[in-house]
Amino acid sequence: MNRIFSGMQPTRQLHLGNYLGALRNWVALQASYDCIFCVVDLHALTLPQEPEVLRSNTREVAAAYIAAGIDPQRCILFAQSHVSAHSELSWILSCHAPIGWLNRMTQFKEKAGKHRDSAVLGLYAYPVLMAADILAYKATHVPVGEDQKQHLELSRDIAGAFNRHYDVDFFPLPEPQILGEATRVMSLRDGSKKMSKSDISDQSRINMTDDAETIAQKIRKAKTDPDPLPETADDLVARPEADNLVTIYGALTDQSRQQVLDAQAGAQFSTFKTALVDVAVAKLAPITAEMNRLMNDPAEIDRLLSHGADRAEAIAAKTLAEAKDIIGLLRI
Ligand code: AQP
């Protein structure tokens, strides 16, 4: 059976990149896969968090999943810290992950920046915990945005290393699913940087909780160039900000970039941005309204997460017990 695992960090509000690059694809995949979606709160600890904010963000990410269309009865939806097998398996896998493999991870280099020596061990070990998240459920497919591709490849390498070391065919090698037109949504302020929760400029992203007026204002102020929209997608190559807005428009309207240009070539950005505001608001407003409704009942969100954790635990605890047997840890 094909099984999907994926997750998002409750680091801050989710944004359009998280939605178009990942969440929207998850919603479509629930019909054809056994799906497990996690709020990866332990991953969030790799950067400093305020306890109350973390609690609220964890509920908010769960609310975003449901509001976007994830069915918590059909799928398993839970918070990572509620299933201890993730942390235990992470330790076991870290003992099969050469440091040289982790040294290649570009996200650590980007996030640690010049402060490499003071960066916490958890930030460095993040991809091993991610491998544990996926392998605890023996997931076969992992839908993610392009930025997570390298981490996914590491998960495959770690699974392979474990299987080879013990001469078993225990963990499947998970396949990345990088789907849709907007696999890497870029910052509205700088077309060379990905749209990110941790960007200090709120103007760089459209948050899933932004109201219509804020979305309109951010899109109107988004960086562009003075030229009108070109005729072919190839002409966008040297125009990263223009390319980004066309990509977003295409993803929101289920069109390729070329289809967008076929209809909009020659338009000035002032006109195109007005059309983009309309489709962005039309897509996000109902999701935001549903998120707000769900967030008014935190006890119900906790109840759904608790139900999901019980279902997740049943799968992950079995995998962990089998892995311990393979390794030779004494079962009592
Ligand atoms: N800009 C993006 N375009 C497309 N997909 C994206 N994803 C993130 N940013 C973009 C995808 O969203 C999923 C969840 O990401 P995450 O919350 O686990 O962390 P992240 O990838 O590190 O996202 P951010 O926004 O950049 O968070 P911070 O700033 O906290 O690190 C993943 O599938 C990711 O690919």
Side-chain angles (χ1 to χ4, degrees):
M1 178 184 33
N2 286 326
R3 174 176 285 161
I4 276 177
F5 178 95
S6 202
M8 294 194 188
Q9 300 183 74
T11 31
R12 283 172 111 195
Q13 292 151 332
L14 299 185
H15 51 72
L16 192 63
N18 297 131
Y19 177 69
L20 294 177
L23 185 50
R24 188 174 82 136
N25 300 326
W26 302 358
V27 174
L29 292 165
Q30 348 171 54
S32 33
Y33 289 84
D34 175 17
C35 289
I36 303 175
F37 296 120
C38 186
V39 183
V40 288
D41 51 356
L42 295 175
H43 280 286
L45 303 183
T46 56
L47 295 173
Q49 302 293 334
E50 287 291 329
E52 274 315 313
V53 177
L54 177 61
R55 252 187 290 278
S56 167
N57 283 348
T58 300
R59 291 191 182 110
E60 191 169 287
V61 172
Y65 288 3
I66 298 167
I70 299 295
D71 177 349
Q73 305 308 331
R74 177 192 268 189
C75 307
I76 297 180
L77 191 168
F78 73 109
Q80 187 183 28
S81 63
H82 295 157
V83 179
S84 60
H86 291 241
S87 306
E88 268 193 84
L89 187 60
S90 177
W91 175 258
I92 289 171
L93 296 179
S94 74
C95 297
H96 295 81
I99 287 173
W101 290 1
L102 286 157
N103 283 343
R104 290 203 290 269
M105 296 299 110
T106 53
Q107 184 169 297
F108 174 75
K109 290 179 195 160
E110 280 161 21
K111 290 202 171 176
K114 294 191 187 101
H115 310 288
R116 212 181 149 96
D117 285 348
S118 57
V120 295
L121 175 61
L123 187 64
Y124 185 72
Y126 177 114
V128 182
L129 179 58
M130 180 166 158
D133 299 337
I134 297 162
L135 299 178
Y137 301 93
K138 297 191 175 179
T140 54
H141 295 80
V142 184
V144 284
E146 217 170 71
D147 60 318
Q148 291 296 331
K149 189 164 175 253
Q150 192 185 37
H151 288 165
L152 237 312
E153 280 159 6
L154 185 74
S155 297
R156 287 170 64 87
D157 290 344
I158 293 174
F162 183 98
N163 289 348
R164 272 194 308 281
H165 186 85
Y166 297 104
D167 196 18
V168 289
D169 186 15
F170 183 62
F171 289 124
L173 306 190
E175 293 281 344
Q177 285 179 312
I178 298 172
L179 303 168
E181 193 68 18
T183 56
R184 191 173 174 84
V185 177
M186 308 309 276
S187 158
L188 298 181
R189 308 301 293 162
D190 178 350
S192 68
K193 278 169 49 184
K194 79 162 186 150
M195 187 177 283
S196 169
K197 296 188 218 100
S198 49
D199 194 317
I200 49 167
S201 166
D202 193 56
Q203 293 293 323
S204 69
R205 63 184 161 261
I206 293 172
N207 301 308
M208 286 180 68
T209 46
D210 284 343
D211 60 23
E213 202 177 314
T214 309
I215 292 173
Q217 181 261 349
K218 286 180 178 177
I219 290 176
R220 273 199 300 271
K221 285 200 166 165
K223 190 174 166 197
T224 42
D225 54 50
D227 296 332
L229 285 168
E231 286 187 3
T232 71
D234 287 348
D235 295 327
L236 289 169
V237 172
R239 301 173 63 187
E241 285 85 14
D243 192 353
N244 190 38
L245 295 186
V246 171
T247 302
I248 292 173
Y249 187 96
L252 288 168
T253 54
D254 294 314
Q255 296 181 82
S256 67
R257 290 179 310 153
Q258 189 54 55
Q259 284 171 315
V260 176
L261 294 176
D262 288 346
Q264 306 268 2
Q268 294 297 328
F269 267 95
S270 52
T271 312
F272 181 65
K273 282 179 171 181
T274 305
L276 181 56
V277 169
D278 289 345
V279 295
V281 169
K283 185 64 85 178
L284 290 180
I287 299 175
T288 308
E290 180 61 3
M291 275 175 77
N292 291 338
R293 192 190 68 75
L294 291 163
M295 283 300 281
N296 279 330
D297 190 356
E300 173 62 6
I301 296 177
D302 293 358
R303 194 192 64 73
L304 290 169
L305 288 175
S306 169
H307 172 64
D310 290 343
R311 295 165 69 199
E313 169 80 26
I315 303 170
K318 180 169 178 287
T319 309
L320 181 64
E322 289 170 359
K324 286 178 173 177
D325 280 344
I326 291 170
I327 291 166
L329 296 172
L330 190 63
R331 202 194 265 242
I332 49 166

